Amino acid sequence: MTGGYALLVADLIGVAVFAASGASAGVAKRLDLFGVAFVGFAAALGGGILRDLVIGAAPPLAFADWRYAVTAVAASVAVFWLYPALHRVRRTVLALDAAGMGLFTVTGTLKALDAGVPEVGACLVGMLTAIGGGLTRDLLTGEIPAVLQREIYAVVALGGAVLVAVLHRFQLTGLLPLAASAALMTGVRLLALRRRWSAPVAVP
Amino acid sequence: MTGGYALLVADLIGVAVFAASGASAGVAKRLDLFGVAFVGFAAALGGGILRDLVIGAAPPLAFADWRYAVTAVAASVAVFWLYPALHRVRRTVLALDAAGMGLFTVTGTLKALDAGVPEVGACLVGMLTAIGGGLTRDLLTGEIPAVLQREIYAVVALGGAVLVAVLHRFQLTGLLPLAASAALMTGVRLLALRRRWSAPVAVP
Amino acid sequence: MTGGYALLVADLIGVAVFAASGASAGVAKRLDLFGVAFVGFAAALGGGILRDLVIGAAPPLAFADWRYAVTAVAASVAVFWLYPALHRVRRTVLALDAAGMGLFTVTGTLKALDAGVPEVGACLVGMLTAIGGGLTRDLLTGEIPAVLQREIYAVVALGGAVLVAVLHRFQLTGLLPLAASAALMTGVRLLALRRRWSAPVAVP
């Protein structure tokens, strides 16, 4: 019971952070209040909607539980009003975004496995849950998705998804190993940010 | 029976108008005949396809009932040949588009409620039904979606969806209150156009 | 048994070729290794994922059978390393792409018909299976989809889908007529490429 509540709170924090990243992109593109809220909603919940469509869970959680949509929209509207202040807390936002990535990967991979998706597919679904929101945000604001271009982000999610699948295989899906997996992903992501790691680019 | 037939005719008029908006965007981007028909199809039926995927209605109506696809393609091809003449009837097209928005919001919200989506989610689905086609049209033609940038459009749809959910709660889902809801949305949208209302934009 | 195996091999060749087209677009846009693999995956499997979502087959084959994802990623990584050499085999790639289009149209249309989608809708689903991957590739790399602009590609797929639906109506869905349909589409597409056929463009 308490575990489920902790998970919900963690999930909603992830939603709020991803919404803030989407809303910031919307403000930067000079979208109006509705556009900012919509891109925030899409950035926060696009990955989960994609996950639920793929695993056949209709309606997606974003539409089935009002707390998700309300959290995403509230965070977006806050960013709309507080945008200049947001730059000062940029490091905090990046850290929370890394935590959201870790958390969404864990829940996405587990939900796919529980829905009967085989392991390779479930890892892909877990990664898509984490990066789908950012992809949607960039497509809506006319950018080539950042996750495809530079940073070590999706690869961390994919590695974390594989770890979760291995834990699931050995039935180690208690709160502790899962939280440790999310924390590990968050840590690796923050290290990649700090050290400016990047994936190789081909010579065209 | 006659009510169902009236609803189908109204729905197909909405499809034709949304297809015309998509096809016009395609012609302006110098797409070929197929591209114009495809963007017309996507603009007319993208919102409904998204709605049906979200509420778990497979296959979506756009693929299950041939009259929708045929109407969308026929309207698109007509725009392809008659494009210069279209500018002269621009006001009519805008008025019909406002009517289509009202109608799609009503049917989208109701279908979501009937599929068991809770009220907040159903209102979002209703709004997405109305704006999803225009979003798809803009993404396919390389534009940041207009609905996110300037106009009072999606907010009218969202307000209308809330009204429909309230009517549904009180079991007032006869033809008359629903038609009045659609007409109200259409009127507010036309007023917003005429008065050039717009949503606030943040200072980035 | 052997027919099923032949179909799987043919399907995976189609996946590899479409992945190569996506990966090439990714390299040209200077995406990193992950981005190239992701666009390759999306180009190879986006059409099939769309098809499976529309016909209600969850999870989509791309997630249910690991051989599809592995083939797409392996082909993409190969393109990442061998990109300059790829230009020399450009004609081969275009021919294989035409074969993939024919094959994906046949399997997409049949799967939709078998899932109970009516004939007009099933033809649209078959065409979307063939062009969906290329559409996704172009959207992810910030381009207006090529299939909407110039070439005779989707129309060949649509014509082939109609042919498959007619064969299905007369229960002629043995390996021979289906292979002949795919070969016919491939041939028409190659002819259109060689003769530089293109669809008409309207005067805006």
Side-chain angles (χ1 to χ4, degrees):
Chain A
M1 211 58 153
T2 321
Y5 189 70
L7 194 66
L8 175 70
V9 170
D11 222 12
L12 291 182
I13 292 176
V15 165
V17 175
F18 279 29
S21 91
S24 300
V27 171
K29 289 278 176 175
R30 304 195 62 76
L31 304 185
D32 66 17
L33 178 54
F34 173 79
V36 168
F38 188 87
V39 177
F41 177 89
L45 300 168
I49 293 171
L50 192 60
R51 173 200 67 208
D52 290 347
L53 291 179
V54 163
I55 69 175
L61 194 56
F63 299 99
D65 184 336
W66 61 269
R67 290 172 293 196
Y68 285 80
V70 167
T71 302
V73 170
S76 302
V77 171
V79 167
F80 185 83
W81 297 121
L82 305 171
Y83 186 78
L86 203 75
H87 202 260
R88 265 176 284 145
V89 293
R90 201 175 140 272
R91 278 164 177 275
T92 314
V93 170
L94 276 174
L96 284 170
D97 178 85
M101 181 267 289
L103 188 78
F104 280 24
T105 303
V106 169
T107 54
T109 310
L110 280 181
K111 282 190 186 185
L113 288 166
D114 288 347
V117 179
E119 285 169 342
V120 172
C123 291
L124 293 173
V125 171
M127 183 194 71
L128 280 176
T129 308
I131 73 171
L135 273 172
T136 315
R137 173 200 67 206
D138 293 347
L139 292 179
L140 285 173
T141 53
E143 300 288 337
I144 295 181
V147 74
L148 305 178
Q149 290 191 85
R150 294 173 291 263
E151 298 185 352
I152 299 288
Y153 190 98
V155 168
V156 179
L158 188 56
V162 171
L163 175 59
V164 170
V166 169
L167 291 172
H168 187 268
R169 172 76 72 93
F170 294 105
Q171 297 183 314
L172 295 166
T173 49
L175 194 57
L176 195 69
L178 294 179
S181 304
L184 181 64
M185 277 182 264
T186 307
V188 174
R189 165 65 181 154
L190 290 176
L191 201 62
L193 267 179
R194 172 174 282 262
R195 298 272 170 96
R196 297 173 191 271
W197 289 341
S198 62
V201 173
V203 186
Chain B
M1 211 58 151
T2 321
Y5 189 72
L7 194 65
L8 174 70
V9 170
D11 222 11
L12 292 182
I13 291 175
V15 165
V17 175
F18 278 30
S21 91
S24 300
V27 170
K29 289 278 177 177
R30 305 197 60 77
L31 304 185
D32 66 18
L33 178 54
F34 173 78
V36 168
F38 189 86
V39 177
F41 177 90
L45 300 169
I49 292 171
L50 192 60
R51 173 199 67 207
D52 289 347
L53 292 180
V54 164
I55 67 175
L61 194 57
F63 300 100
D65 184 335
W66 61 269
R67 290 171 294 196
Y68 284 80
V70 166
T71 302
V73 170
S76 302
V77 171
V79 166
F80 184 83
W81 296 121
L82 305 172
Y83 186 76
L86 204 74
H87 202 261
R88 263 175 284 145
V89 293
R90 199 174 140 272
R91 278 162 177 279
T92 315
V93 170
L94 276 174
L96 285 170
D97 178 87
M101 180 269 288
L103 188 78
F104 281 22
T105 302
V106 169
T107 55
T109 309
L110 280 183
K111 283 190 186 188
L113 288 167
D114 289 346
V117 180
E119 283 168 345
V120 172
C123 291
L124 293 173
V125 171
M127 182 195 72
L128 280 176
T129 308
I131 73 171
L135 273 172
T136 315
R137 172 199 66 206
D138 292 348
L139 292 179
L140 285 174
T141 53
E143 300 287 339
I144 295 180
V147 73
L148 305 178
Q149 290 191 83
R150 293 173 293 263
E151 297 185 353
I152 298 288
Y153 190 97
V155 168
V156 179
L158 188 56
V162 172
L163 175 59
V164 170
V166 169
L167 291 173
H168 186 266
R169 172 76 73 94
F170 294 104
Q171 298 182 313
L172 294 166
T173 49
L175 194 57
L176 195 67
L178 294 179
S181 304
L184 180 63
M185 278 182 262
T186 307
V188 174
R189 164 65 181 155
L190 290 176
L191 201 61
L193 268 179
R194 172 175 282 262
R195 298 273 171 94
R196 298 173 191 271
W197 289 342
S198 60
V201 173
V203 186
Chain C
M1 209 59 152
T2 320
Y5 189 71
L7 194 67
L8 174 70
V9 170
D11 222 11
L12 291 182
I13 291 176
V15 165
V17 175
F18 278 30
S21 90
S24 300
V27 170
K29 288 279 176 176
R30 304 198 60 77
L31 304 185
D32 66 17
L33 178 54
F34 173 78
V36 168
F38 189 86
V39 177
F41 177 89
L45 300 169
I49 292 171
L50 191 61
R51 172 200 66 207
D52 290 347
L53 292 179
V54 164
I55 68 176
L61 194 56
F63 299 99
D65 184 336
W66 60 269
R67 290 172 293 196
Y68 285 81
V70 167
T71 302
V73 170
S76 302
V77 171
V79 166
F80 185 83
W81 296 121
L82 305 172
Y83 186 77
L86 204 75
H87 202 259
R88 264 177 283 145
V89 292
R90 200 173 141 271
R91 277 162 178 276
T92 314
V93 170
L94 277 174
L96 285 170
D97 178 85
M101 181 269 287
L103 189 79
F104 280 23
T105 303
V106 169
T107 55
T109 310
L110 280 182
K111 284 190 186 187
L113 289 166
D114 288 347
V117 179
E119 283 168 343
V120 172
C123 291
L124 293 173
V125 170
M127 184 194 71
L128 280 176
T129 308
I131 73 171
L135 273 171
T136 315
R137 173 199 67 206
D138 293 347
L139 292 178
L140 285 174
T141 53
E143 301 286 339
I144 295 180
V147 73
L148 305 178
Q149 291 191 82
R150 294 173 291 263
E151 296 186 355
I152 298 289
Y153 189 98
V155 167
V156 179
L158 188 56
V162 171
L163 176 58
V164 170
V166 169
L167 291 173
H168 186 267
R169 170 76 73 93
F170 293 106
Q171 297 183 313
L172 295 167
T173 50
L175 194 57
L176 195 68
L178 294 179
S181 304
L184 180 64
M185 277 182 263
T186 307
V188 173
R189 165 65 181 153
L190 290 177
L191 201 62
L193 268 179
R194 171 175 283 261
R195 298 272 171 95
R196 297 172 192 272
W197 289 341
S198 61
V201 173
V203 187

